[in-house]
Amino acid sequence: MAIGKWIGGFLGFVGGGGPLGALVGFCFGAIFDKMLDAVNTPDSQPKENAHSAFGENESYAFTQQRRRQEEGDRNSFFFSLLVLSSYIINADGKVMHSEMEYVRNFLRNNWGEAARQQGNDILMKLFAKQKEIGFASYHQTIVEACVQIRANMDYVARMQLLRYLFEVALADGVVTHQEKEALREIAQLLAIREADANNIFGSNSSSANDLDKAYQTLGISSDATDDEVRHAYRHMVLLYHSDRLSEGASDEKIKEINAAKELIYKARNIK
């Protein structure tokens, strides 16, 4: 498998171990271990004196640290998305082509063709792991992964993750009983408030009005606070902004996010 730039970058809480770290190791094996070691060498860390001649060493180090943290957050979100996708897609024992295509298109439209190809390869690896250890053991891994996600990912990001998983399950036109149970369990494990989960599961983009669609674009409910709206917008821009992505982002997606933000801000009179 060709290693994307993201996997050799700063992986945040995913690269720090736990069930998600174990799954990353399974998907990439020795190649991942070698690249992670390279990232964690002293030479790969920000140089405090890199700009000392210009009196900018502190601001440079801070900027580098912040960018690495943002990269880690994004990459952790990306891998968590794929891990939970593998569970939802196979929750009813059937890997539906329409659900796989939804994930592939989501990755390509938002992160480029390389992300689609690598995401698909990762999913295949995860399906193989599930088959190897059995559904019960893989389910326990998912439970532990959700606990890890909950401890390291903020509420808005977890809501966006849950909304995406619901859309994956809905890709074939129906959410089966097994998928509903899996989604409800993930919502509880991620500590999503019941009202927010119900809002997500009850949404239908084909019948929603423009404001409802705007909330869906930001991955939050209409009951979100103004601060949660602001945070959701910043998080989505971080995920899809071309300056933060290895393969570039869709200009149309950024336009959609900005349009959603403007609509919600106007409706709420947020300055």
Side-chain angles (χ1 to χ4, degrees), residues 156-205:
V156 168
R158 300 198 308 271
M159 274 192 64
Q160 291 168 337
L161 189 56
L162 183 64
R163 183 176 294 280
Y164 158 83
L165 293 172
F166 174 71
E167 291 172 351
V168 170
L170 190 61
D172 59 353
V174 59
V175 181
T176 66
H177 173 73
Q178 296 95 326
E179 289 171 336
K180 289 178 182 177
E181 291 298 311
L183 286 166
R184 287 289 179 187
E185 180 183 30
I186 288 175
Q188 292 177 356
L189 290 169
L190 295 181
I192 302 298
R193 293 187 290 266
E194 185 176 1
D196 289 336
N198 288 336
N199 181 278
I200 290 173
F201 301 149
S203 67
N204 186 329
S205 59

Short mmCIF file of all heavy atoms in Angstrom, two decimals, residues 156-205:
data_model
loop_
_atom_site.label_atom_id
_atom_site.label_comp_id
_atom_site.label_asym_id
_atom_site.label_seq_id
_atom_site.Cartn_x
_atom_site.Cartn_y
_atom_site.Cartn_z
N VAL A 156 -18.08 18.53 19.32
CA VAL A 156 -18.51 18.90 17.96
C VAL A 156 -17.95 17.91 16.94
O VAL A 156 -18.65 17.44 16.05
CB VAL A 156 -18.09 20.34 17.62
CG1 VAL A 156 -18.25 20.61 16.14
CG2 VAL A 156 -18.91 21.34 18.44
N ALA A 157 -16.67 17.57 17.07
CA ALA A 157 -16.06 16.62 16.14
C ALA A 157 -16.71 15.25 16.25
O ALA A 157 -16.92 14.56 15.24
CB ALA A 157 -14.56 16.52 16.41
N ARG A 158 -17.06 14.85 17.47
CA ARG A 158 -17.73 13.55 17.65
C ARG A 158 -19.12 13.55 17.02
O ARG A 158 -19.55 12.56 16.43
CB ARG A 158 -17.81 13.19 19.14
CG ARG A 158 -16.47 13.09 19.82
CD ARG A 158 -16.51 12.34 21.13
NE ARG A 158 -17.49 12.79 22.08
CZ ARG A 158 -17.31 13.73 22.99
NH1 ARG A 158 -16.16 14.39 23.05
NH2 ARG A 158 -18.26 14.06 23.85
N MET A 159 -19.82 14.68 17.11
CA MET A 159 -21.12 14.79 16.45
C MET A 159 -20.98 14.71 14.94
O MET A 159 -21.79 14.05 14.26
CB MET A 159 -21.81 16.10 16.84
CG MET A 159 -22.60 16.04 18.13
SD MET A 159 -23.65 17.50 18.33
CE MET A 159 -24.76 17.33 16.95
N GLN A 160 -19.97 15.37 14.40
CA GLN A 160 -19.74 15.33 12.95
C GLN A 160 -19.42 13.90 12.50
O GLN A 160 -19.86 13.45 11.44
CB GLN A 160 -18.61 16.29 12.59
CG GLN A 160 -19.00 17.74 12.77
CD GLN A 160 -17.82 18.69 12.70
OE1 GLN A 160 -16.68 18.30 12.93
NE2 GLN A 160 -18.09 19.96 12.39
N LEU A 161 -18.68 13.19 13.32
CA LEU A 161 -18.34 11.80 13.03
C LEU A 161 -19.59 10.94 13.02
O LEU A 161 -19.78 10.11 12.12
CB LEU A 161 -17.34 11.30 14.07
CG LEU A 161 -16.68 9.94 13.84
CD1 LEU A 161 -15.96 9.90 12.50
CD2 LEU A 161 -15.72 9.64 14.98
N LEU A 162 -20.47 11.13 13.99
CA LEU A 162 -21.70 10.34 14.05
C LEU A 162 -22.62 10.64 12.87
O LEU A 162 -23.23 9.73 12.30
CB LEU A 162 -22.43 10.62 15.37
CG LEU A 162 -23.71 9.80 15.60
CD1 LEU A 162 -23.39 8.31 15.72
CD2 LEU A 162 -24.44 10.28 16.86
N ARG A 163 -22.72 11.91 12.50
CA ARG A 163 -23.57 12.26 11.35
C ARG A 163 -23.05 11.59 10.08
O ARG A 163 -23.82 11.06 9.28
CB ARG A 163 -23.62 13.78 11.15
CG ARG A 163 -24.54 14.20 10.01
CD ARG A 163 -24.63 15.70 9.90
NE ARG A 163 -25.26 16.31 11.05
CZ ARG A 163 -26.59 16.36 11.23
NH1 ARG A 163 -27.40 15.81 10.34
NH2 ARG A 163 -27.09 16.94 12.29
N TYR A 164 -21.74 11.59 9.91
CA TYR A 164 -21.15 10.92 8.74
C TYR A 164 -21.50 9.43 8.74
O TYR A 164 -21.88 8.87 7.70
CB TYR A 164 -19.64 11.12 8.74
CG TYR A 164 -18.90 10.09 7.94
CD1 TYR A 164 -18.75 10.20 6.56
CD2 TYR A 164 -18.34 8.96 8.58
CE1 TYR A 164 -18.09 9.23 5.83
CE2 TYR A 164 -17.68 7.99 7.85
CZ TYR A 164 -17.55 8.13 6.49
OH TYR A 164 -16.91 7.16 5.77
N LEU A 165 -21.39 8.77 9.88
CA LEU A 165 -21.67 7.33 9.96
C LEU A 165 -23.13 7.04 9.63
O LEU A 165 -23.45 6.03 8.97
CB LEU A 165 -21.34 6.81 11.36
CG LEU A 165 -19.86 6.83 11.74
CD1 LEU A 165 -19.69 6.48 13.21
CD2 LEU A 165 -19.06 5.87 10.87
N PHE A 166 -24.03 7.92 10.05
CA PHE A 166 -25.44 7.75 9.71
C PHE A 166 -25.64 7.85 8.20
O PHE A 166 -26.40 7.08 7.61
CB PHE A 166 -26.29 8.78 10.43
CG PHE A 166 -27.75 8.77 10.02
CD1 PHE A 166 -28.58 7.73 10.38
CD2 PHE A 166 -28.28 9.81 9.26
CE1 PHE A 166 -29.91 7.70 9.99
CE2 PHE A 166 -29.60 9.80 8.88
CZ PHE A 166 -30.42 8.74 9.25
N GLU A 167 -24.96 8.78 7.58
CA GLU A 167 -25.09 8.95 6.13
C GLU A 167 -24.53 7.74 5.38
O GLU A 167 -25.05 7.35 4.33
CB GLU A 167 -24.38 10.23 5.69
CG GLU A 167 -25.10 11.49 6.18
CD GLU A 167 -24.31 12.77 5.93
OE1 GLU A 167 -23.13 12.65 5.51
OE2 GLU A 167 -24.86 13.86 6.15
N VAL A 168 -23.49 7.12 5.92
CA VAL A 168 -22.96 5.89 5.34
C VAL A 168 -24.01 4.79 5.39
O VAL A 168 -24.27 4.10 4.40
CB VAL A 168 -21.68 5.42 6.08
CG1 VAL A 168 -21.27 4.03 5.62
CG2 VAL A 168 -20.54 6.41 5.85
N ALA A 169 -24.63 4.62 6.56
CA ALA A 169 -25.65 3.59 6.72
C ALA A 169 -26.85 3.84 5.82
O ALA A 169 -27.50 2.89 5.35
CB ALA A 169 -26.09 3.52 8.18
N LEU A 170 -27.14 5.09 5.54
CA LEU A 170 -28.30 5.47 4.74
C LEU A 170 -28.02 5.42 3.24
O LEU A 170 -28.94 5.55 2.43
CB LEU A 170 -28.77 6.87 5.13
CG LEU A 170 -30.10 7.40 4.59
CD1 LEU A 170 -31.26 6.51 5.06
CD2 LEU A 170 -30.32 8.84 5.03
N ALA A 171 -26.78 5.17 2.87
CA ALA A 171 -26.38 5.27 1.46
C ALA A 171 -27.14 4.31 0.56
O ALA A 171 -27.36 4.61 -0.63
CB ALA A 171 -24.88 5.02 1.33
N ASP A 172 -27.57 3.17 1.08
CA ASP A 172 -28.31 2.21 0.25
C ASP A 172 -29.83 2.42 0.34
O ASP A 172 -30.60 1.60 -0.15
CB ASP A 172 -27.96 0.78 0.63
CG ASP A 172 -28.27 0.46 2.09
OD1 ASP A 172 -28.63 1.40 2.84
OD2 ASP A 172 -28.16 -0.71 2.49
N GLY A 173 -30.22 3.53 0.97
CA GLY A 173 -31.64 3.88 1.02
C GLY A 173 -32.38 3.41 2.25
O GLY A 173 -33.52 3.81 2.48
N VAL A 174 -31.76 2.57 3.06
CA VAL A 174 -32.42 2.08 4.26
C VAL A 174 -31.38 1.81 5.34
O VAL A 174 -30.27 1.34 5.05
CB VAL A 174 -33.20 0.77 3.97
CG1 VAL A 174 -32.28 -0.31 3.45
CG2 VAL A 174 -33.96 0.30 5.22
N VAL A 175 -31.72 2.17 6.57
CA VAL A 175 -30.87 1.88 7.71
C VAL A 175 -31.44 0.65 8.40
O VAL A 175 -32.54 0.70 8.95
CB VAL A 175 -30.80 3.06 8.70
CG1 VAL A 175 -29.88 2.73 9.88
CG2 VAL A 175 -30.30 4.32 7.99
N THR A 176 -30.74 -0.47 8.33
CA THR A 176 -31.25 -1.72 8.88
C THR A 176 -31.28 -1.67 10.41
O THR A 176 -30.67 -0.80 11.04
CB THR A 176 -30.38 -2.91 8.45
OG1 THR A 176 -29.07 -2.78 9.04
CG2 THR A 176 -30.25 -2.95 6.93
N HIS A 177 -31.98 -2.63 10.99
CA HIS A 177 -32.08 -2.71 12.45
C HIS A 177 -30.68 -2.84 13.07
O HIS A 177 -30.37 -2.17 14.07
CB HIS A 177 -32.94 -3.91 12.86
CG HIS A 177 -32.95 -4.17 14.33
ND1 HIS A 177 -33.63 -3.36 15.23
CD2 HIS A 177 -32.34 -5.13 15.09
CE1 HIS A 177 -33.45 -3.82 16.46
NE2 HIS A 177 -32.68 -4.89 16.40
N GLN A 178 -29.84 -3.68 12.47
CA GLN A 178 -28.49 -3.87 13.01
C GLN A 178 -27.68 -2.58 12.91
O GLN A 178 -26.92 -2.25 13.84
CB GLN A 178 -27.77 -4.98 12.25
CG GLN A 178 -28.40 -6.36 12.41
CD GLN A 178 -29.36 -6.69 11.28
OE1 GLN A 178 -30.02 -5.79 10.75
NE2 GLN A 178 -29.42 -7.96 10.91
N GLU A 179 -27.85 -1.84 11.82
CA GLU A 179 -27.14 -0.58 11.68
C GLU A 179 -27.63 0.45 12.69
O GLU A 179 -26.84 1.21 13.26
CB GLU A 179 -27.30 -0.05 10.25
CG GLU A 179 -26.53 -0.86 9.22
CD GLU A 179 -26.86 -0.46 7.79
OE1 GLU A 179 -27.97 0.09 7.56
OE2 GLU A 179 -26.02 -0.70 6.90
N LYS A 180 -28.95 0.48 12.91
CA LYS A 180 -29.50 1.40 13.91
C LYS A 180 -28.94 1.10 15.29
O LYS A 180 -28.57 2.02 16.04
CB LYS A 180 -31.03 1.29 13.93
CG LYS A 180 -31.73 1.86 12.71
CD LYS A 180 -33.24 1.66 12.80
CE LYS A 180 -33.94 2.20 11.56
NZ LYS A 180 -35.40 1.95 11.61
N GLU A 181 -28.89 -0.19 15.64
CA GLU A 181 -28.35 -0.57 16.94
C GLU A 181 -26.88 -0.17 17.07
O GLU A 181 -26.44 0.31 18.12
CB GLU A 181 -28.51 -2.08 17.15
CG GLU A 181 -29.94 -2.55 17.33
CD GLU A 181 -30.58 -1.97 18.57
OE1 GLU A 181 -29.95 -2.03 19.65
OE2 GLU A 181 -31.70 -1.41 18.46
N ALA A 182 -26.12 -0.39 15.99
CA ALA A 182 -24.70 -0.04 16.01
C ALA A 182 -24.51 1.46 16.14
O ALA A 182 -23.64 1.93 16.88
CB ALA A 182 -24.02 -0.56 14.74
N LEU A 183 -25.33 2.24 15.43
CA LEU A 183 -25.24 3.69 15.50
C LEU A 183 -25.60 4.20 16.89
O LEU A 183 -24.94 5.11 17.42
CB LEU A 183 -26.16 4.32 14.44
CG LEU A 183 -25.69 4.23 13.00
CD1 LEU A 183 -26.83 4.57 12.04
CD2 LEU A 183 -24.50 5.16 12.75
N ARG A 184 -26.65 3.63 17.47
CA ARG A 184 -27.06 4.03 18.82
C ARG A 184 -25.96 3.71 19.82
O ARG A 184 -25.68 4.51 20.73
CB ARG A 184 -28.35 3.29 19.21
CG ARG A 184 -29.59 3.79 18.51
CD ARG A 184 -30.01 5.16 19.01
NE ARG A 184 -31.20 5.64 18.32
CZ ARG A 184 -31.69 6.86 18.47
NH1 ARG A 184 -31.10 7.71 19.31
NH2 ARG A 184 -32.76 7.25 17.80
N GLU A 185 -25.35 2.55 19.67
CA GLU A 185 -24.27 2.18 20.58
C GLU A 185 -23.09 3.13 20.45
O GLU A 185 -22.54 3.58 21.46
CB GLU A 185 -23.82 0.75 20.29
CG GLU A 185 -22.69 0.28 21.21
CD GLU A 185 -22.20 -1.11 20.88
OE1 GLU A 185 -22.26 -1.50 19.69
OE2 GLU A 185 -21.73 -1.80 21.80
N ILE A 186 -22.71 3.44 19.22
CA ILE A 186 -21.59 4.37 19.01
C ILE A 186 -21.92 5.74 19.59
O ILE A 186 -21.06 6.39 20.21
CB ILE A 186 -21.25 4.48 17.51
CG1 ILE A 186 -20.57 3.19 17.04
CG2 ILE A 186 -20.35 5.68 17.23
CD1 ILE A 186 -20.30 3.14 15.56
N ALA A 187 -23.16 6.19 19.40
CA ALA A 187 -23.57 7.49 19.95
C ALA A 187 -23.40 7.50 21.47
O ALA A 187 -22.90 8.48 22.05
CB ALA A 187 -25.02 7.78 19.58
N GLN A 188 -23.79 6.41 22.13
CA GLN A 188 -23.65 6.34 23.58
C GLN A 188 -22.18 6.28 23.99
O GLN A 188 -21.77 6.96 24.94
CB GLN A 188 -24.39 5.11 24.10
CG GLN A 188 -25.90 5.20 23.98
CD GLN A 188 -26.60 3.94 24.43
OE1 GLN A 188 -25.97 2.94 24.77
NE2 GLN A 188 -27.94 3.96 24.41
N LEU A 189 -21.40 5.49 23.26
CA LEU A 189 -19.98 5.36 23.59
C LEU A 189 -19.23 6.67 23.38
O LEU A 189 -18.27 6.97 24.09
CB LEU A 189 -19.35 4.26 22.75
CG LEU A 189 -19.77 2.83 23.08
CD1 LEU A 189 -19.29 1.86 22.00
CD2 LEU A 189 -19.21 2.41 24.45
N LEU A 190 -19.67 7.46 22.39
CA LEU A 190 -19.04 8.76 22.13
C LEU A 190 -19.61 9.85 23.02
O LEU A 190 -19.22 11.02 22.90
CB LEU A 190 -19.21 9.14 20.66
CG LEU A 190 -18.52 8.26 19.63
CD1 LEU A 190 -18.77 8.79 18.21
CD2 LEU A 190 -17.03 8.16 19.90
N ALA A 191 -20.55 9.48 23.89
CA ALA A 191 -21.18 10.43 24.82
C ALA A 191 -21.90 11.55 24.08
O ALA A 191 -21.84 12.72 24.48
CB ALA A 191 -20.15 10.99 25.79
N ILE A 192 -22.62 11.19 23.00
CA ILE A 192 -23.45 12.15 22.29
C ILE A 192 -24.79 12.25 23.00
O ILE A 192 -25.41 11.24 23.31
CB ILE A 192 -23.68 11.71 20.83
CG1 ILE A 192 -22.35 11.53 20.10
CG2 ILE A 192 -24.57 12.70 20.09
CD1 ILE A 192 -21.53 12.77 19.97
N ARG A 193 -25.22 13.46 23.28
CA ARG A 193 -26.50 13.64 23.95
C ARG A 193 -27.62 13.02 23.13
O ARG A 193 -27.62 13.09 21.89
CB ARG A 193 -26.78 15.13 24.18
CG ARG A 193 -25.82 15.79 25.17
CD ARG A 193 -26.25 17.21 25.50
NE ARG A 193 -26.04 18.10 24.37
CZ ARG A 193 -24.96 18.86 24.18
NH1 ARG A 193 -23.96 18.78 25.03
NH2 ARG A 193 -24.87 19.66 23.14
N GLU A 194 -28.59 12.41 23.82
CA GLU A 194 -29.67 11.69 23.14
C GLU A 194 -30.43 12.58 22.16
O GLU A 194 -30.77 12.17 21.05
CB GLU A 194 -30.64 11.08 24.16
CG GLU A 194 -31.71 10.21 23.53
CD GLU A 194 -32.59 9.53 24.56
OE1 GLU A 194 -32.38 9.75 25.77
OE2 GLU A 194 -33.50 8.77 24.15
N ALA A 195 -30.68 13.83 22.57
CA ALA A 195 -31.41 14.75 21.69
C ALA A 195 -30.62 15.03 20.42
O ALA A 195 -31.20 15.10 19.33
CB ALA A 195 -31.69 16.06 22.43
N ASP A 196 -29.31 15.17 20.54
CA ASP A 196 -28.47 15.42 19.37
C ASP A 196 -28.43 14.19 18.47
O ASP A 196 -28.47 14.31 17.24
CB ASP A 196 -27.05 15.80 19.79
CG ASP A 196 -26.99 17.19 20.42
OD1 ASP A 196 -27.88 18.01 20.11
OD2 ASP A 196 -26.06 17.45 21.19
N ALA A 197 -28.34 13.00 19.08
CA ALA A 197 -28.34 11.77 18.29
C ALA A 197 -29.67 11.60 17.55
O ALA A 197 -29.69 11.24 16.37
CB ALA A 197 -28.08 10.57 19.19
N ASN A 198 -30.77 11.87 18.24
CA ASN A 198 -32.08 11.76 17.60
C ASN A 198 -32.22 12.74 16.45
O ASN A 198 -32.84 12.43 15.42
CB ASN A 198 -33.19 12.01 18.63
CG ASN A 198 -33.33 10.87 19.62
OD1 ASN A 198 -32.94 9.74 19.33
ND2 ASN A 198 -33.89 11.16 20.79
N ASN A 199 -31.64 13.93 16.61
CA ASN A 199 -31.68 14.92 15.54
C ASN A 199 -30.93 14.41 14.32
O ASN A 199 -31.37 14.58 13.18
CB ASN A 199 -31.07 16.23 16.03
CG ASN A 199 -31.10 17.33 14.98
OD1 ASN A 199 -30.25 17.39 14.12
ND2 ASN A 199 -32.09 18.20 15.06
N ILE A 200 -29.79 13.77 14.54
CA ILE A 200 -29.00 13.23 13.44
C ILE A 200 -29.73 12.08 12.77
O ILE A 200 -29.88 12.04 11.54
CB ILE A 200 -27.63 12.76 13.95
CG1 ILE A 200 -26.77 13.97 14.34
CG2 ILE A 200 -26.91 11.92 12.88
CD1 ILE A 200 -25.46 13.59 15.01
N PHE A 201 -30.23 11.15 13.55
CA PHE A 201 -30.87 9.97 12.98
C PHE A 201 -32.22 10.28 12.34
O PHE A 201 -32.68 9.55 11.47
CB PHE A 201 -31.06 8.90 14.06
CG PHE A 201 -29.78 8.45 14.70
CD1 PHE A 201 -29.75 8.03 16.01
CD2 PHE A 201 -28.58 8.48 13.99
CE1 PHE A 201 -28.57 7.61 16.61
CE2 PHE A 201 -27.39 8.08 14.58
CZ PHE A 201 -27.39 7.64 15.89
N GLY A 202 -32.81 11.40 12.75
CA GLY A 202 -34.09 11.76 12.17
C GLY A 202 -33.97 12.68 10.98
O GLY A 202 -34.97 13.00 10.33
N SER A 203 -32.73 13.09 10.64
CA SER A 203 -32.54 14.03 9.53
C SER A 203 -32.64 13.30 8.22
O SER A 203 -32.31 12.13 8.09
CB SER A 203 -31.17 14.71 9.65
OG SER A 203 -30.13 13.77 9.47
N ASN A 204 -33.12 14.02 7.21
CA ASN A 204 -33.20 13.48 5.84
C ASN A 204 -32.93 14.63 4.89
O ASN A 204 -33.76 15.51 4.73
CB ASN A 204 -34.59 12.89 5.57
CG ASN A 204 -34.66 12.19 4.22
OD1 ASN A 204 -33.99 12.57 3.28
ND2 ASN A 204 -35.49 11.16 4.15
N SER A 205 -31.75 14.62 4.31
CA SER A 205 -31.31 15.76 3.50
C SER A 205 -32.23 16.03 2.32
O SER A 205 -32.28 17.13 1.79
CB SER A 205 -29.88 15.54 3.01
OG SER A 205 -29.79 14.37 2.23
#
